[in-house]
């Protein structure tokens, strides 16, 4: 039993869907659970829809029309016959969405968001499943919301692993007696009251990992548009290298610091059951890619994680006393209340400094609340550079013409908050 995950980029158009079929053809007679994300940028579009519906930020129906047209266009090229049942199926699914935005919202935004945004995965899997069946790759479409059970933390559902495992064993395992391939949704789950939840943006990798855990899968493969895990993001670095093998530990560290190649929650369940994770190119499925598995081996090259739009907030008691434990616990509470994630923090005698992503409005509210009790200084437009397995030489190169505002080093990792030197 294997688990495959295909992200939004891999199914962004008809050719992408056809390519998924090509990849699957390389694994004949094998039992595979295939987890698929929403097509292309559909989740972003559905987020817009949720906001249009809830906050009336724009006309919801227009946004929904756009989303529908995008999917129908893909279907036109996958299913030339207008009578193909997929069209009725899609029509019905979109009707559900129209109904969802017809009445006034009854619950909070996060709840409504999940009911709407989750449909991206429902739709993409219906299309891919129908296409695979059409070309003879027999498969069964499964609604993952009946398997992955979460609490009702909407937009960030916490998975009940015990219950999920029971359901997967009871309801999913037997399907493999009749089918080799099952197609299911990433990113979404269900509550005990049968409402839909989502697992957090980019959560489809995590879904693959949850299912692999519950199925005791032999391995998981995340199919991507890059050849594997690279030591830096090609968006920022020109000479990137593919990492052939990575320990679970290093993978957790790298994703924790912000490497976006895999969702940070993905590794832990796999590590617990010692299931290897492959990251491979969906364009070159025969190539090796990266394997993440148990191991002590440290990487022999530095890995870089670079984040822009950072803000450094420095918090000081108004009376110049020390920062004490009770201040810290207050401060953390304010961060958590405003949903601001901390990328780096440092404590000194009279101030506590925190580096986080600059979500302008959230930060403004956070700072205003902190200012009631503390003197707060902040500095925006910064960069955060994290290097795992650094050398002094790499640091020197990276920090040339930079002013370092804050630095933290541990044995293997260095993090620096910096900005460009102003040149005349
Ligand atoms: N479609 C979801 C998102 O874009 C989940 C995923 O792609 O992993 O966030
Ligand atoms: Mg996506």
């Amino acid at each position: 039993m294997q688990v495959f995950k295909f992200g939004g980029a891999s199914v962004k158009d008809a050719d992408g869907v056809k390519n998924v079929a090509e990849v699957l053809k390389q694994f004949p007679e094998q039992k595979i659970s295939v987890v698929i994300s929403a097509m292309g940028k559909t989740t972003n579009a559905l987020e817009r829809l949720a906001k249009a519906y809830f906050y009336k930020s724009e006309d919801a129906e227009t946004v929904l029309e756009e989303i529908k047209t995008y999917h129908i266009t893909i279907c036109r090229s996958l299913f030339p016959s207008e009578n193909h049942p997929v069209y009725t199926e899609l029509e019905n699914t979109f009707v559900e969405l129209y109904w969802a935005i017809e009445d006034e919202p009854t619950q909070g935004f996060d709840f409504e968001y999940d009911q709407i945004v989750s449909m991206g995965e429902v739709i993409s899997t219906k299309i891919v499943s129908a296409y695979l069946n059409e070309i003879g790759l027999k498969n069964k479409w499964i609604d993952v919301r009946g398997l992955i059970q979460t609490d009702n933390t909407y937009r960030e559902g916490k998975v009940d692993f015990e219950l999920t495992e029971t359901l997967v064993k009871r309801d999913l395992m037997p399907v493999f007696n009749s089918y080799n391939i099952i197609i299911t949704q990433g990113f979404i789950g269900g509550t005990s009251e049968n409402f839909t939840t989502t697992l957090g943006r980019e959560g489809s990798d995590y879904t693959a990992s949850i299912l692999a855990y519950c199925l005791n899968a032999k391995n998981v493969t995340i199919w991507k548009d890059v050849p594997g895990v690279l030591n830096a993001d090609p968006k920022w670095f020109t000479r990137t290298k593919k990492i052939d093998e990575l320990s679970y530990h290093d993978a957790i560290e790298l994703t924790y610091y912000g490497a976006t190649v895999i969702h940070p929650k993905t590794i832990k369940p796999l590590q617990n059951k010692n299931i290897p994770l492959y990251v491979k190119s969906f364009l070159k499925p025969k190539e090796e890619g990266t394997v993440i598995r148990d191991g002590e081996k440290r990487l022999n090259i530095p890995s870089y994680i670079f984040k822009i739009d950072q803000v450094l907030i420095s918090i000081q008691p108004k009376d110049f006393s020390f920062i004490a434990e009770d201040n810290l616990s207050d401060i953390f509470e304010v961060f958590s209340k405003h949903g601001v994630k901390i990328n780096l923090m440092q404590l000194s005698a009279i101030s506590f400094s925190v580096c986080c992503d600059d979500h302008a409005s959230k930060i403004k509210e956070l700072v205003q609340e902190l200012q009631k009790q503390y003197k707060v200084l902040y500095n925006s437009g910064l960069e955060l550079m994290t290097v795992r397995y650094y050398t002094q030489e790499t640091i020197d190169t990276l920090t040339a013409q930079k002013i370092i505002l804050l630095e933290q080093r541990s044995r293997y990792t260095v993090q620096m908050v910096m900005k460009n030197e102003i040149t005349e």
Side-chain angles (χ1 to χ4, degrees):
M1 173 83 59
Q2 303 182 65
V3 178
F4 283 4
K5 180 259 173 174
F6 290 94
S10 67
V11 289
K12 68 177 194 301
D13 51 24
D15 284 343
V17 177
K18 290 178 186 167
N19 184 63
V20 168
E22 287 311 310
V23 174
L24 287 171
K25 280 185 199 159
Q26 322 260 336
F27 300 86
E29 304 301 319
Q30 303 201 31
K31 307 268 182 214
I32 306 173
S33 298
V34 183
V35 172
I36 300 176
S37 304
M39 294 179 146
K41 302 262 178 263
T42 301
T43 306
N44 292 351
L46 286 164
E47 277 192 345
R48 256 177 68 211
L49 177 62
K51 284 182 192 147
Y53 165 60
F54 199 87
Y55 297 116
K56 315 244 175 324
S57 48
E58 60 188 308
D59 182 50
E61 237 177 83
T62 314
V63 182
L64 183 47
E65 278 304 323
E66 270 173 41
I67 297 170
K68 187 174 169 187
T69 309
Y70 167 66
H71 287 93
I72 298 283
T73 310
I74 292 177
C75 286
R76 292 256 179 272
S77 94
L78 294 174
F79 311 96
S81 157
E82 277 174 30
N83 299 324
H84 195 285
V86 75
Y87 290 108
T88 324
E89 177 100 33
L90 273 190
E91 211 46 66
N92 294 339
T93 314
F94 276 102
V95 165
E96 270 180 55
L97 265 174
Y98 278 105
W99 284 342
I101 60 164
E102 213 173 61
D103 300 325
E104 286 300 306
T106 53
Q107 309 245 13
F109 177 70
D110 291 353
F111 170 87
E112 304 290 353
Y113 172 104
D114 277 2
Q115 311 318 304
I116 291 172
V117 171
S118 56
M119 294 310 279
E121 271 67 13
V122 172
I123 295 164
S124 69
T125 50
K126 285 195 171 168
I127 296 173
V128 175
S129 169
Y131 178 74
L132 296 177
N133 274 323
E134 181 73 17
I135 60 156
L137 280 172
K138 192 177 149 213
N139 71 89
K140 173 115 177 114
W141 182 88
I142 298 278
D143 192 332
V144 84
R145 293 170 293 186
L147 300 171
I148 295 184
Q149 297 299 294
T150 72
D151 66 0
N152 55 9
T153 317
Y154 294 101
R155 296 185 71 177
E156 205 54 67
K158 305 278 169 299
V159 176
D160 179 339
F161 270 86
E162 234 178 77
L163 181 56
T164 302
E165 193 167 8
T166 309
L167 293 172
V168 165
K169 294 215 160 100
R170 191 189 74 190
D171 300 338
L172 183 61
M173 290 279 210
V175 179
F176 283 101
N177 295 330
S178 326
Y179 294 87
N180 284 334
I181 301 174
I182 71 110
I183 302 291
T184 198
Q185 307 78 38
F187 179 53
I188 68 177
T191 66
S192 55
E193 289 147 323
N194 279 328
F195 289 116
T196 303
T197 48
T198 61
L199 307 177
R201 285 303 306 266
E202 309 302 327
S204 296
D205 296 346
Y206 184 40
T207 303
S209 153
I210 298 164
L211 291 180
Y213 176 95
C214 297
L215 289 161
N216 287 316
K218 190 170 76 182
N219 56 52
V220 175
T221 307
I222 295 182
W223 296 96
K224 299 210 52 125
D225 55 2
V226 286
V229 178
L230 306 177
N231 74 327
D233 186 339
K235 199 163 103 194
W236 305 113
F237 293 82
T238 40
R239 280 181 300 157
T240 58
K241 287 196 191 116
K242 180 175 77 80
I243 298 167
D244 297 331
E245 185 170 344
L246 199 57
S247 65
Y248 290 124
H249 184 117
D250 276 339
I252 289 173
E253 295 277 347
L254 293 177
T255 54
Y256 171 79
Y257 289 121
T260 52
V261 63
I262 339 168
H263 190 281
K265 286 183 179 167
T266 312
I267 312 291
K268 207 69 200 146
L270 301 178
Q271 184 181 23
N272 287 354
K273 288 217 175 158
N274 212 351
I275 299 169
L277 170 63
Y278 294 90
V279 179
K280 292 190 182 196
S281 158
F282 58 71
L283 297 168
K284 294 179 178 155
K286 294 214 165 98
E287 285 184 9
E288 284 284 301
T290 299
V291 58
I292 299 167
R293 62 176 160 221
D294 201 21
E296 289 300 304
K297 221 171 78 193
R298 274 187 238 139
L299 288 177
N300 54 8
I301 48 167
S303 288
Y304 306 91
I305 298 138
F306 184 57
K307 290 185 170 198
I308 58 162
D309 290 334
Q310 298 294 299
V311 47
L312 188 62
I313 306 173
S314 147
I315 305 155
Q316 306 172 2
K318 283 189 174 155
D319 57 2
F320 293 97
S321 61
F322 295 122
I323 289 258
E325 283 72 11
D326 50 345
N327 302 128
L328 286 175
S329 97
D330 282 354
I331 293 170
F332 283 128
E333 220 173 282
V334 179
F335 274 83
S336 141
K337 180 176 144 199
H338 291 273
V340 176
K341 290 203 176 116
I342 297 175
N343 293 334
L344 172 71
M345 56 191 169
Q346 200 162 62
L347 181 61
S348 74
I350 53 151
S351 98
F352 180 56
S353 302
V354 176
C355 176
C356 35
D357 295 353
D358 194 357
H359 300 293
S361 62
K362 268 196 206 172
I363 299 290
K364 203 171 140 210
E365 286 167 22
L366 172 104
V367 168
Q368 275 169 358
E369 182 157 356
L370 287 169
Q371 274 169 340
K372 289 182 197 153
Q373 281 203 58
Y374 302 95
K375 185 175 164 205
V376 182
L377 304 169
Y378 73 98
N379 207 329
S380 53
L382 307 178
E383 302 164 347
L384 173 61
M385 173 68 80
T386 305
V387 189
R388 184 146 173 90
Y389 300 125
Y390 62 88
T391 60
Q392 191 53 47
E393 198 192 327
T394 55
I395 295 179
D396 293 344
T397 322
L398 293 166
T399 57
Q401 272 128 46
K402 302 274 181 188
I403 298 168
I404 301 175
L405 287 91
L406 195 149
E407 183 183 320
Q408 231 169 54
R409 282 187 202 212
S410 64
R411 205 155 130 217
Y412 299 126
T413 306
V414 62
Q415 290 197 283
M416 293 168 295
V417 181
M418 46 194 205
K419 65 177 178 187
N420 287 330
E421 231 166 46
I422 300 173
T423 43
E424 305 284 301

